[in-house]
Each structure stands twice: as C-alpha cells, then as structure tokens.
Amino acid sequence: MEMATSYRYERTVPRAAALHRALAQQNSRIRDAEKLAADKAAIKELSGSNQVAQWSEDASGTTEMKILKRYKEIMNQELKTAKTEVILIRREKLRTLLDEENMKYLQEFEAKGLTYFKCRM
C-alpha cells in the first residue's frame, strides 16, 4: 500500500497544467481587482480633497465678492458725499459772486448818483 500512496503523489495528473493555468488566471484577476479597488480608494480620497479645496476656493471667492461689493458701496457713498460737497461749495461761491456783483452795481449806481430799486413787501 505504501507504494500506491506514493505513486499517487508522484504521478503527473493530465489536467494539472490546465488547473495551474486556471489558478494563475484567478490569481491575476484577484490582483487586478485589488489594484482596481486600491485605485478607486485613491481616486475617492483625491476627489474628497479636491472637493474640500473647491469648497475653500468657492468660500474665498464668495468672501472676495462680498469685500468687493462692500468696497463698491463705500466708493459710491464717498462719491455721493463728494457730489453733495461740490454742490454746496458751488452754491456758496455763486452766492458770494452774486453778492460781489450786487455790491459792484450798487457802487456804480452810487457813483452816478442813482439808487437801486428794491421792492419791499
């Protein structure tokens, strides 16, 4: 019996080559699936970090837009105030000019011996 047992392990099985090829293909598919799973995990991690970066960029863009909007509001307010100041200064200068011209006319009339008619009501 001893002879039969050792012969069983020593002899070549006709389908052993096909079995080895099938096992090699199976191992290759397992390695490919593991590599694909690792690649998917890496892509998912990169996608997550890219998404966080995009959120951060969007947030900073939104903040910049708010800052620019605030600066625009401040500039518009300053322009409005400057316009008001220019108008007030112009009115004052015109009033001064009219008073000076009035005084000049009065002096000319007085020099000629005339009077300036004022309607008093």
Side-chain angles (χ1 to χ4, degrees):
M1 219 86 157
E2 228 175 86
M3 189 71 163
T5 305
S6 84
Y7 177 70
R8 186 174 70 188
Y9 291 110
E10 291 175 4
R11 75 181 181 140
T12 57
V13 179
R15 289 183 278 167
L19 180 64
H20 287 298
R21 271 187 267 127
L23 286 175
Q25 286 177 351
Q26 184 180 14
N27 288 336
S28 172
R29 280 186 291 227
I30 289 172
R31 279 193 305 272
D32 290 344
E34 288 173 349
K35 185 175 185 245
L36 183 63
D39 289 346
K40 281 185 179 180
I43 288 172
K44 186 175 181 181
E45 182 180 337
L46 287 175
S47 173
S49 64
N50 283 343
Q51 190 173 22
V52 169
Q54 185 66 37
W55 288 338
S56 176
E57 187 176 321
D58 289 346
S60 67
T62 303
T63 303
E64 285 180 22
M65 292 302 291
K66 286 180 181 178
I67 290 171
L68 290 176
K69 185 177 177 183
R70 181 69 182 135
Y71 283 158
K72 187 176 179 181
E73 289 173 1
I74 290 171
M75 284 176 33
N76 286 338
Q77 185 64 31
E78 287 178 359
L79 286 174
K80 187 177 177 183
T81 305
K83 276 184 181 179
T84 306
E85 288 296 318
V86 167
I87 289 172
L88 290 175
I89 291 171
R90 182 181 285 164
R91 282 182 186 165
E92 187 61 35
K93 286 191 176 191
L94 283 173
R95 186 175 293 119
T96 309
L97 181 65
L98 286 174
D99 289 342
E100 288 175 2
E101 286 180 357
N102 228 357
M103 291 300 290
K104 183 178 170 186
Y105 289 135
L106 285 174
Q107 288 173 355
E108 286 178 11
F109 284 147
E110 283 180 14
K112 292 181 182 179
L114 301 172
T115 61
Y116 188 73
F117 176 75
K118 292 183 182 178
C119 182
R120 300 185 191 251
M121 291 193 164

